[in-house]
Amino acid sequence: MLTLAELDAGGRRVLVRSDLNVPLSGGEVADDFRLRATLPTIDLLRRSGAAVVLCSHLGRPGGRTVEALRMAPVAAALSELGGFPVVAAEDPAGPDARRLARRAGPGEVVLVENTRFHPGEITNDPEYAAALADLADLFVLDAFGSAHRAHASTTGVATHLKSAAGPLLVRELEAFGMLMQDPPRPFTVLLGGAKISDKLPLIRALLPKVDALLVGGGMCYSLLAVEGYEVGDSLLESDYLDPLRDLLRGNRGDRLVLPVDVVAADRFRPDATATTVEIAAMEKGLIGLDIGPRTAQLFAEVIAGSGSVFWNGPMGVFEWEPFRPGTAAVATAMAGSDAFTVVGGGDSVAALRLLGREAAVSHLSTGGGAGLELLQGRALPAVEALEAWSS
């Protein structure tokens, strides 16, 4: 791929596909992690004398205008964080976006409206991609979190404009490239989150490659059920038990590390009484909501002895304080590890940031799905689109 450093962007308009898909609350940005992550790319372009035209999706408006998902709050937050004006357009690629983009001078920044307000974004409509491309002279893809989607603003634009990878995208690909190609050993993967169905293809792909696969969160209970344990009223995906049995019959099951105890409650509420239960003593009526202290210690010891670690998904309902200790213990172990540590996925990143541990890991990824696609050995369509400009 070409990189931003190889583009002569000075005095030109550059369309940057950023990942500004941030949570909003009360009309304001609730978490600015992704905004901060994109600022170095914007600053680099501004210093080069380029006019910067930013585009991104926000939420899932379904191809129509949704007032609550407008980019104006994002523009305001980005301006405050970066210390420069950000002008928000009223449409993604219509008259107002074209007017503002063409009027932008060196160092100025325009943010067009939510790309998903147009139905052609998700379908990669050629006319919509051409309209986006008409806003600029060059294209920079810096949205790793959207690189696994063949949308108009990620792959379509790249067929019209000379295109390059931004610094954020390059860092992401380098970090995941190390895990895919030559991870420092032992290589440990820690998976959490709710559903085993979401991660089953990933588990299949990773088991042959890792030295240890640690599983917590709601997804662990389907695996524990396959092992013959009672899981009470914990999350259980019955349709996936047979595929999981087939998976564990292989000769790599010894690499899979499951909880030995959990923190459970008799109801799914933040004020429920938390009780530590050995897996062998789990009873009907109990819901597992976090890994237990012995499991947390076990996972921490594996992390401490690893050469590289990838973490995706919390160990429990970390948003509720009684069920946060397991995720907190993993975050502390990651932060204290000398290994090459990569954390991906919105909930895992949010947990690290909530606990103030984000600066202590080697790489904090801005993308969940894209990283998981790479680890499964799949190509990212938006990155493939960039490769057409490498010659």
Side-chain angles (χ1 to χ4, degrees):
M1 298 178 299
L2 289 175
T3 65
L4 176 54
E6 298 171 275
L7 287 185
D8 182 12
R12 308 181 79 181
R13 283 177 292 144
V14 181
L15 180 66
V16 182
R17 180 41 162 107
S18 298
D19 186 359
L20 308 178
N21 183 30
V22 295
L24 301 178
S25 178
E28 296 183 351
V29 172
D31 186 336
D32 61 11
F33 167 63
R34 285 177 171 167
L35 304 190
R36 292 181 183 277
T38 201
L39 279 175
T41 300
I42 298 172
D43 287 338
L44 187 62
L45 283 166
R46 292 181 68 238
R47 287 196 304 270
S48 76
V52 183
V53 182
L54 301 172
C55 68
S56 174
H57 76 279
L58 180 61
R60 297 179 178 178
R64 58 189 177 88
T65 299
V66 176
E67 293 299 322
L69 294 176
R70 285 197 177 274
M71 299 298 292
V74 177
L78 199 57
S79 177
E80 182 176 354
L81 288 171
F84 49 80
V86 179
V87 181
E90 296 177 357
D91 47 41
D96 193 52
R98 287 195 299 271
R99 177 180 63 84
L100 292 174
R102 289 169 183 171
R103 196 174 67 181
E108 295 182 338
V109 181
V110 174
L111 174 59
V112 304
E113 190 50 276
N114 191 335
T115 58
R116 288 189 181 175
F117 280 4
H118 193 292
E121 166 69 331
I122 291 178
T123 61
N124 194 10
D125 178 67
E127 291 186 7
Y128 181 48
L132 286 168
D134 191 48
L135 300 175
D137 307 307
L138 301 168
F139 176 57
V140 171
L141 178 69
D142 214 30
F144 178 69
S146 297
H148 60 308
R149 298 187 174 107
H151 290 177
S153 68
T154 58
T155 62
V157 171
T159 65
H160 296 277
L161 296 175
K162 187 174 183 179
S163 304
L168 174 60
L169 178 63
V170 171
R171 288 196 302 274
E172 295 272 18
L173 294 176
E174 287 175 346
F176 281 94
M178 180 181 292
L179 294 181
M180 293 160 56
Q181 296 162 15
D182 189 21
R185 297 285 178 174
F187 176 28
T188 296
V189 170
L190 173 62
L191 298 178
K195 295 183 177 181
I196 192 73
S197 54
D198 293 340
K199 303 278 178 64
L200 183 54
L202 179 66
I203 293 173
R204 282 200 183 104
L206 286 177
L207 264 180
K209 302 175 183 178
V210 301
D211 297 290
L213 180 62
L214 318 180
V215 181
M219 60 186 290
C220 76
Y221 297 101
S222 295
L223 286 163
L224 288 167
V226 168
E227 295 277 85
Y229 291 102
E230 170 66 52
V231 296
D233 292 339
S234 306
L235 182 62
L236 180 66
E237 293 186 85
S238 301
D239 292 346
Y240 287 86
L241 297 185
D242 285 340
L244 290 173
R245 286 190 186 93
D246 292 340
L247 179 70
L248 296 181
R249 283 195 193 105
N251 58 8
R252 304 182 186 97
D254 57 339
R255 301 181 186 181
L256 189 66
V257 183
L258 297 176
V260 295
D261 63 346
V262 297
V263 178
D266 61 359
R267 52 205 171 112
F268 189 77
R269 289 179 55 88
D271 59 350
T273 300
T275 304
T276 300
V277 182
E278 296 291 311
I279 285 298
M282 190 74 167
E283 299 176 355
K284 295 184 183 297
L286 289 178
I287 307 169
L289 298 176
D290 191 14
I291 58 172
R294 286 209 305 127
T295 302
Q297 179 63 30
L298 172 63
F299 284 9
E301 289 173 358
V302 175
I303 291 169
S306 299
S308 55
V309 187
F310 172 70
W311 176 27
N312 177 282
M315 297 294 98
V317 190
F318 74 97
E319 298 90 345
W320 298 345
E321 192 168 350
F323 309 104
R324 186 178 300 165
T327 300
V330 165
T332 299
M334 292 288 285
S337 173
D338 293 328
F340 176 68
T341 50
V342 178
V343 179
D347 286 340
S348 304
V349 172
L352 269 177
R353 299 189 75 221
L354 176 67
L355 298 162
R357 300 288 187 175
E358 69 268 27
V361 296
S362 306
H363 181 73
L364 198 61
S365 179
T366 56
L372 300 186
E373 291 287 305
L374 284 177
L375 290 174
Q376 290 176 61
R378 297 175 181 171
L380 304 183
V383 172
E384 288 185 317
L386 294 183
E387 292 169 351
W389 295 97
S390 61
S391 58

